[in-house]
């Protein structure tokens, strides 16, 4: 079934959720920088996936522990500081933030996840964070505008907020927002996302559905190989629809909303001028397909060629040849935007036959060995990327 | 012992070698594009290491077979075309080139290695290549100028030829040239190098010495993660000095010349504005140290920060945290140009204390776990890199 996804609203589309985004003064600019998403129930199942980077920010360490109960009343998120590499003091700051949210909501800190994004290595301005929680609590609403404020408050170098939502014909819904504009990589990115649903779901079903959804969406977005200290995707299920979908439907709807958020993240990633789908087919295993897709996605010579609108399949062949996957060069074919340029170990068509003048690029790599496949979502490497990332912290 | 390395001459410094570089008409520009290095003996031991990319160019397939005999009379090299992904016809072209060299030298094709560099996926203009072999044969000389011509004829986007040589106090010498300016990566790069020595060496000793030398030099140069289809490092030993050094001394001298060539390759790599040494210490194993060094070296967010002269240790911490190595974040310290910025899980000094205004940057990452270490040589990621690589083939 094709899932119809809308982008004009997000976490407040499912019933049972309120959200807010406020300017707490964490960012010097005065922009929105603190978001709160509250699950009013009647149920409180939740699940989360976190960065696999061994250097984990304090909020990741906290939220990972909290999620072991598979229940969440609320998520508090801040931009303006990652609270990573901040030592025991940084962890205390995260804990104090969760305690403050619990206090204003009348719940326990153990029911509050915390997410942070921004520069690594700086402590958060805690008076601003704590008073921001008060402001956000007062601003909580179930309106589309409140969801948009929350989506806006988590932005760092993002140029636009990213929201998505989809309703199931049976009457339950999924919504969400995401942020992330660089460091988009294997196994998440400087990427935060909160998904909500008013479906009823047992915690273990919700957990499996989230992992299945992120495996083919957030985990397949690879802009620059960076895997952040703070990456987090959470899902909260209020059960307010009173409907308990099957696991397959829940997974499909979560996947559709997550994929839409991923495509928005890619379109807004730092300096990108091309939206590139790398479709690997004919692999011996999913792992091989993913390895080939990621190695090509991360290759700077491939990425700069794409920036130059150059269908340089030779660089793609070079890149896939160093992937940790079984490959027989004589069986590989490479097509760019529908034109097969390499097959049977040599040139199949003059590369001028492939048109890369548009923003959308599809590279299909058929390994010719088996039945497995994977799609990896990436971008080109442009002057804009270099400019934005060489100036970010100054 | 410190090995004194000179850069004003190369492959013709050791006795028993002649070289030439000619304009064969492979490059449309009319620049030098075909090089020949001949070992006049009395001995002909040789060894080679080749790209680990599974997509191997025809000359790599040929030369790898030839080297199984551990004997070489000559090496012929061309720029202007990689002869990679050219199918059986491309392999025939390589074979014909070796046959032609054998004919003019009165040897067998099995004693002739072939190296090619340039664009992937195009057949070589064989009439130009074969007549170039005749011209090169006529120009062979043991002069410094002939060595320089050979070093010049292998250049692609290199802006300068790279040569190095060193004499041992006992009276034997090592010389060499290298080319490569992009796709510089783990396990070699679009990188060709020919080393010569007039030491006497048994083939198995020469092979071990070459592998030990490349493991800490060419294999540690990682500019953009690219591993080319054509990477080759060869060493030829004429025995003309009549001296048989110990394996340790031979390894040390080969390493010194190879390292000097690597530093020249890095200094000339596409668009680089920083020469960056990533020194990893305190690792549990050499493999862990290399993995950490390479992951940091290939991280585009680290590289763009360096381009911006920004001592952004947070990005270094993020990058090393995703390396395939054992790491305890609380034991890691990171120093940039002599200033420790991160230690004990948090900020150790304000990053403004580290001065990145110069071209040379040393990043020392101490993992605090063991005794192993490794140095990886890399560069920043600049507008120049993007410009040169997005325009290369057009």
């Amino acid at each position: 079934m094709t899932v119809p996804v809308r982008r004009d609203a997000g976490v407040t589309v499912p019933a049972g959720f309120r959200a807010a985004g406020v300017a707490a003064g964490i960012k010097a600019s005065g922009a929105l920088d603190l978001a709160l998403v509250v699950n009013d129930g009647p149920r409180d199942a939740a699940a989360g996936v976190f960065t696999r980077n061994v250097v984990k920010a304090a909020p990741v360490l906290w939220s990972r522990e909290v999620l072991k109960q598979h229940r969440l009343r609320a998520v508090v998120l801040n931009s303006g500081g990652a609270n990573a590499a901040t030592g025991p003091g940084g962890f205390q700051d995260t804990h104090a933030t969760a305690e403050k949210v619990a206090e204003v909501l009348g719940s326990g800190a153990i029911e509050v996840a915390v997410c942070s994004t921004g520069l690594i290595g700086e402590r958060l301005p805690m008076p601003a964070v704590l008073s921001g929680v008060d402001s956000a609590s007062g601003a909580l609403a179930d309106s589309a505008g409140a969801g948009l404020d929350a989506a806006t408050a988590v932005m760092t170098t993002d140029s636009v907020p990213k929201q998505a939502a989809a309703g199931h014909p049976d009457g339950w819904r999924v919504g969400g927002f995401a942020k992330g504009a660089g460091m988009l990589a294997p196994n998440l990115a400087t990427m935060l996302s909160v998904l909500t649903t008013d479906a009823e779901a047992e915690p273990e079903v919700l957990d499996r559905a989230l992992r299945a959804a992120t495996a083919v969406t957030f985990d397949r977005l690879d802009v620059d190989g960076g895997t952040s200290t703070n990456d987090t995707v959470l899902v909260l299920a209020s059960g307010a629809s009173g409907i308990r979908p099957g696991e397959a439907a829940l997974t499909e709807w979560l996947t559709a909303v997550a994929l839409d958020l991923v495509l928005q993240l890619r379109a807004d990633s730092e300096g990108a001028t091309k939206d590139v789908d790398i479709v690997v087919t004919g692999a011996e295993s999913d792992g091989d397909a993913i390895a080939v897709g990621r190695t090509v996605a991360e290759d700077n010579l491939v990425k700069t060629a794409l920036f130059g609108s150059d269908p340089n399949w030779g660089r793609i062949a070079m890149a896939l040849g160093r992937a940790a996957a079984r490959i027989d060069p004589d069986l590989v074919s490479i097509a760019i935007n529908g034109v097969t340029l390499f097959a049977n170990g040599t040139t199949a068509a003059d590369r001028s036959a492939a048109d890369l003048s548009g923003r959308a690029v599809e590279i299909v790599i058929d390994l010719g060995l088996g039945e497995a496949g994977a799609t990896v979502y990436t971008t080109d490497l442009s002057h804009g990327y270099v400019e934005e990332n060489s100036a970010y912290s100054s």
Side-chain angles (χ1 to χ4, degrees), chain A:
Chain A
M1 191 184 307
T2 300
V3 179
V5 178
R6 55 190 276 205
R7 292 181 172 178
D8 62 338
V11 288
T12 55
V13 168
F17 291 96
R18 290 177 295 155
V22 299
I26 308 167
K27 284 179 177 167
S29 66
L32 299 186
D33 52 16
L34 189 134
L36 192 57
V37 178
V38 174
N39 179 1
D40 291 318
R43 294 173 180 274
D44 59 4
V49 291
F50 301 96
T51 182
R52 291 172 213 174
N53 197 305
V54 303
V55 180
K56 289 176 169 59
V60 169
L61 296 173
W62 170 263
S63 299
R64 197 176 52 164
E65 285 306 306
V66 161
L67 259 297
K68 288 180 178 170
Q69 297 211 123
H70 303 293
R71 298 172 48 230
L72 280 184
R73 177 74 205 283
V75 185
V76 58
L77 312 93
N78 74 273
S79 53
N83 197 7
T86 44
F91 190 82
Q92 286 167 16
D93 292 343
T94 290
H95 187 193
T97 305
E99 289 281 7
K100 176 70 180 176
V101 172
E103 177 194 320
V104 300
L105 296 179
S107 68
I110 195 70
E111 299 168 288
V112 180
V114 182
C115 301
S116 299
T117 180
L119 264 182
I120 294 171
E122 318 257 330
R123 292 284 293 276
L124 291 172
M126 285 306 291
V129 171
L130 298 179
S131 72
V133 171
D134 278 324
S135 309
S137 169
L140 283 169
D142 63 3
S143 64
L148 179 61
D149 286 348
T152 304
V154 293
M155 290 164 56
T156 54
T157 55
D158 306 67
S159 69
V160 292
K162 289 102 179 170
Q163 300 185 99
H168 190 277
D170 289 352
W172 53 276
R173 289 151 286 195
V174 172
F177 62 71
K179 67 77 51 182
M183 242 193 271
L184 295 174
N187 311 325
L188 311 184
T190 298
M191 208 282 305
L192 302 179
S193 180
V194 175
L195 303 171
T196 57
T197 180
D198 51 14
E200 279 187 8
E202 288 303 312
E204 58 270 32
V205 172
L206 191 64
D207 188 75
R208 282 199 301 267
L210 178 66
R211 288 175 195 283
T214 55
V216 295
T217 58
F218 293 114
D219 280 357
R220 295 283 175 83
L221 178 63
D222 188 349
V223 167
D224 58 14
T227 301
S228 127
T229 50
N230 291 59
D231 301 331
T232 301
V233 180
L234 302 173
V235 60
L236 290 73
S238 70
S241 70
I243 298 166
R244 179 175 302 235
E247 184 170 339
L250 183 62
T251 301
E252 188 179 1
W253 255 249
L254 282 176
T255 301
V257 170
L259 180 60
D260 196 83
L261 291 170
V262 160
L263 297 180
Q264 293 183 56
L265 290 170
R266 177 175 69 176
D268 193 32
S269 79
E270 291 163 349
T273 75
K274 303 284 185 190
D275 294 330
V276 184
D277 286 6
I278 300 178
V279 181
V280 182
T281 60
E284 279 201 337
S285 68
D286 288 352
D288 276 9
I290 294 167
V292 167
R294 283 185 175 156
T295 304
V296 173
E298 292 179 18
D299 191 277
N300 282 351
L301 288 163
V302 172
K303 295 170 93 75
T304 47
L306 292 169
F307 174 55
S309 295
D310 171 15
N312 192 328
W313 61 264
R315 291 183 182 179
I316 297 169
M318 178 277 294
L320 68 89
R322 65 186 175 86
R326 190 163 111 65
I327 289 161
D328 179 338
D330 291 333
L331 299 181
V332 173
S333 70
I334 300 172
I336 303 181
N337 282 355
V339 181
T340 299
L341 298 175
F342 174 78
N344 303 313
T346 189
T347 311
D350 189 90
R351 63 181 169 190
S352 62
D355 178 9
L356 288 190
S357 58
R359 185 175 174 103
V361 177
E362 185 185 59
I363 298 171
V364 179
I365 300 167
D366 188 338
L367 299 180
L369 290 170
E371 301 297 318
T375 298
V376 172
Y377 305 96
T378 191
T379 65
D380 58 339
L381 172 59
S382 69
H383 286 306
Y385 180 93
V386 172
E387 188 63 27
E388 192 155 350
N389 285 301
S390 59
Y392 177 77
S393 71
S394 51

